[in-house]
Amino acid sequence: MEKTILISQDLSCAGQVSMAVALPILGALGFSPTILPTAILSTHTGGFGNNTYLDLSSEMEKIIAHWETIPLSFSAIYLGYLGNKPLDILLNNIDSLATNSFLLLDPVMGDHGKLYRGFNSNYVHQMQHLVQKANLITPNVTEAQLLLGKECTTNTLSSAAALKLATELNKKYKNKQILLTGVPKTDEKIGIVGIDNISQEIWQLETPKIGSSFFGTGDIFASVLLGALLRDNTLKAATKIAMDFISNTIQKNMQFNCYNSRFGLDYSLELPVLLKQLN
Ligand code: PXL
């Protein structure tokens, strides 16, 4: 049977982040996504001033109630940036939505040592509960530290320190695949640590850091990762595909000088390569 997916995250109207990248990428890969938008914002919350925010949690409850009356089930569910009330709604409904579904949770909460605007310790606490339900989590270093109740850092990490952080996550949140993403390494490199509870492997990958940091790269990464996993790649192979996709996209955006780090990346430049690789 065709694989089906549910994507639930916000729709930031301007810029290439969250639903605005996840839906087209996973749609282009052939998964006919079902979507459950959690909020509508004028922009993401990271540097455009006073973004608007329309919470959709009460609509989400009605949408889920309607879905319960129709034949709808998902091979995989991908959750990203949610918002305060939508996170609670998903916590209350995830068991019925995710019957036999693979749950990818990108616990989007912060970056560079800080929580995103609008989130507080209660959000972190609720996210810690939601993580228990996931099969695969993809926190960055800040999110990993928040999930572990540690102080957030912004410095570079050695491979040993990155491995320690991922291992602590693996101890606290059992029986999941873990990808610690966006690890700032020395020598202008970005690393990823993978702990695969299926293959029992632990590994690290690295790629050169190109340019500044772009909003939405985590969302593009998670979308491509899920696509590659659903095309039966191992966690490590899917991670490599997603990491290369980001790296080549950044290179092409910079080559054609068609980028603005706040508005995010034009992923379309690399999409034909990905489609060939996965379809
Ligand atoms: O890219 C992550 C993200 C998604 N959605 C919203 C955000 C952010 C990061 O700042 O603010 C609304």
Side-chain angles (χ1 to χ4, degrees):
M1 209 178 80
E2 263 306 295
K3 289 181 175 160
T4 54
I5 57 174
L6 170 65
I7 308 167
S8 189
Q9 51 188 282
D10 76 284
L11 178 59
S12 288
C13 295
Q16 299 297 289
V17 305
S18 51
M19 193 67 92
V21 298
L23 176 59
I25 290 176
L26 286 159
L29 288 173
F31 297 110
S32 305
T34 296
I35 59 168
L36 184 58
T38 61
I40 299 181
L41 295 81
S42 50
T43 64
H44 63 66
T45 61
F48 284 111
N50 280 335
N51 60 271
T52 65
Y53 185 94
L54 175 66
D55 175 88
L56 293 179
S57 50
S58 55
E59 200 64 24
M60 286 169 73
E61 283 186 311
K62 291 187 226 159
I63 292 169
I64 294 168
H66 181 215
W67 284 351
E68 277 162 4
T69 69
I70 61 174
L72 198 56
S73 63
F74 311 107
S75 319
I77 298 183
Y78 163 28
L79 306 180
Y81 181 107
L82 302 173
N84 288 294
K85 286 192 200 151
L87 171 46
D88 289 340
I89 302 285
L90 282 159
L91 256 178
N92 291 339
N93 288 279
I94 199 64
D95 289 339
S96 58
L97 285 169
T99 45
N100 293 318
S101 316
F102 177 82
L103 179 56
L104 162 59
L105 170 59
D106 186 7
V108 178
M109 292 187 285
D111 205 358
H112 308 295
K114 280 194 278 198
L115 276 170
Y116 291 135
R117 202 147 58 91
F119 293 157
N120 57 22
S121 56
N122 182 54
Y123 195 75
V124 176
H125 181 75
Q126 295 298 80
M127 189 62 87
Q128 289 170 341
H129 284 299
L130 192 57
V131 163
Q132 310 278 4
K133 306 274 182 187
N135 298 97
L136 166 60
I137 57 170
T138 56
N140 61 30
V141 170
T142 300
E143 289 153 354
Q145 290 167 331
L146 290 166
L147 289 176
L148 289 166
K150 291 174 140 249
E151 218 161 278
C152 293
T153 59
T154 53
N155 51 305
T156 57
L157 295 187
S158 65
S159 296
L163 179 61
K164 182 164 176 280
L165 194 56
T167 307
E168 284 177 55
L169 277 176
N170 187 42
K171 279 215 184 91
K172 178 165 179 188
Y173 300 98
K174 301 217 181 324
N175 298 323
K176 3 202 133 285
Q177 294 176 306
I178 293 171
L179 286 186
L180 178 64
T181 62
V183 180
K185 309 290 275 290
T186 51
D187 303 334
E188 290 295 290
K189 291 206 168 116
I190 296 282
I192 296 181
V193 184
I195 299 190
D196 190 339
N197 67 334
I198 295 172
S199 68
Q200 302 295 331
E201 284 177 305
I202 299 179
W203 40 262
Q204 300 207 33
L205 298 174
E206 271 187 3
T207 186
K209 178 169 165 51
I210 319 162
S212 57
S213 59
F214 294 87
F215 277 92
T217 45
D219 309 323
I220 301 177
F221 175 85
S223 305
V224 175
L225 175 78
L226 180 60
L229 287 170
L230 292 176
R231 291 273 177 263
D232 296 328
N233 287 279
T234 62
L235 182 64
K236 188 173 182 183
T239 302
K240 180 91 177 60
I241 290 169
M243 197 173 83
D244 290 347
F245 184 83
I246 296 288
S247 173
N248 294 336
T249 297
I250 293 176
Q251 263 178 42
K252 285 187 178 159
N253 276 242
M254 293 184 68
Q255 186 183 341
F256 298 118
N257 204 20
C258 59
Y259 66 92
N260 176 321
S261 58
R262 269 195 310 176
F263 281 100
L265 293 162
D266 176 5
Y267 58 82
S268 72
L269 301 168
E270 188 63 10
L271 204 51
V273 179
L274 182 70
L275 292 176
K276 232 188 231 161
Q277 221 172 357
L278 294 186
N279 284 342

